[in-house]
Amino acid sequence: MYKRQGEVTAYTFYNVAANHTIEASFVEGSPTGEVTVDGVVSSGTGDDVASLSFAHTTGTGTDRLLLVGVSWNCGSTDRTISSVTFTPDGGTAIELAEVITQLGYNTTNPRYSAIYSLLAPPSGVAGTVTVNFSGSVSNGIMAGAANFAGVNQTTPLGTPAGGNDNSTTPSVAFSGLNGDELVFDNVFLGAGSSSYELTVGSGQTQLWNPDYVANLRAAASIEQAT
């Protein structure tokens, strides 16, 4: 769902020749309208830390959903997410629910991509998204948050999909879509240098794609189902 530019180097992710993991979930529309991005998208990066935080403001539309995508490179020491929260300024932390976590490469040199969600977040509130890990992540973290409106509040998310892809156009596939869903993806690229890039695919709208950090690139996008 994203295309990578440039040659593959000796730096490995899934095997000696490839380095992508990608996952996606589709957002179900409400009976009263289509799913749309609601407000400003936010993102942040970190390296050799056990917690990543960045500022984010929730949307103001009706039937809201907040999605957070996280990508992280553990090096040789496995680290997992212990919590993802949104804390309104001056308020109490609200915990997000895990949608999917995809392991890439192997358990000896684990790399991950994950999606978390918060249904009906407070409207138009400035605050902080925080991703806490089981320990310090040695080779980089990237995360972002996006708000959506017009989301079915009873069944907001369809069945997620994820996988490891060796090609220059990593993708995941869904079946049984009606055509009115919005697909959200989060992708990790193991990157040995800043020359590795991620470029949004045809028909997709990029949400975030921060600068290279440590040993990873990561990005997220949306695409209308067809």
Side-chain angles (χ1 to χ4, degrees):
M1 299 183 76
Y2 269 85
K3 294 188 291 184
R4 187 192 64 209
Q5 297 177 339
E7 301 262 328
V8 176
T9 70
Y11 182 81
T12 59
F13 183 68
Y14 297 106
N15 59 35
V16 295
N19 52 7
H20 290 96
T21 188
I22 188 170
E23 60 192 0
S25 183
F26 57 90
V27 183
E28 296 277 11
S30 71
T32 58
E34 64 177 313
V35 179
T36 58
V37 176
D38 182 20
V40 177
V41 174
S42 308
S43 65
T45 63
D47 181 28
D48 203 18
V49 292
S51 181
L52 172 66
S53 297
F54 56 93
H56 183 69
T57 299
T58 59
T60 58
T62 58
D63 297 326
R64 294 182 301 280
L65 176 71
L66 170 63
L67 290 180
V68 172
V70 190
S71 298
W72 67 105
N73 187 337
C74 299
S76 59
T77 304
D78 193 15
R79 303 300 191 194
T80 57
I81 291 177
S82 55
S83 67
V84 178
T85 61
F86 173 73
T87 306
D89 290 348
T92 303
I94 306 168
E95 189 157 355
L96 280 70
E98 180 186 11
V99 177
I100 182 174
T101 298
Q102 179 68 41
L103 170 66
Y105 198 26
N106 56 42
T107 56
T108 303
N109 295 280
R111 293 88 168 94
Y112 291 95
S113 178
I115 298 172
Y116 280 71
S117 71
L118 176 60
L119 187 64
S123 177
V125 174
T128 303
V129 172
T130 301
V131 184
N132 294 308
F133 295 87
S134 58
S136 184
V137 178
S138 63
N139 285 7
I141 310 163
M142 291 186 179
N147 312 305
F148 299 91
V151 177
N152 189 314
Q153 298 291 286
T154 303
T155 54
L157 296 169
T159 303
N164 304 327
D165 196 320
N166 297 352
S167 71
T168 57
T169 55
S171 64
V172 292
F174 292 113
S175 61
L177 299 179
N178 295 319
D180 57 356
E181 301 90 350
L182 188 70
V183 177
F184 171 88
D185 72 80
N186 189 68
V187 60
F188 176 112
L189 165 64
S193 75
S194 60
S195 64
Y196 285 73
E197 296 181 359
L198 287 165
T199 304
V200 68
S202 175
Q204 294 169 255
T205 300
Q206 180 174 285
L207 296 177
W208 60 81
N209 192 351
D211 291 339
Y212 170 84
V213 60
N215 287 289
L216 75 108
R217 288 272 194 187
S221 78
I222 54 172
E223 181 176 12
Q224 186 66 38
T226 57

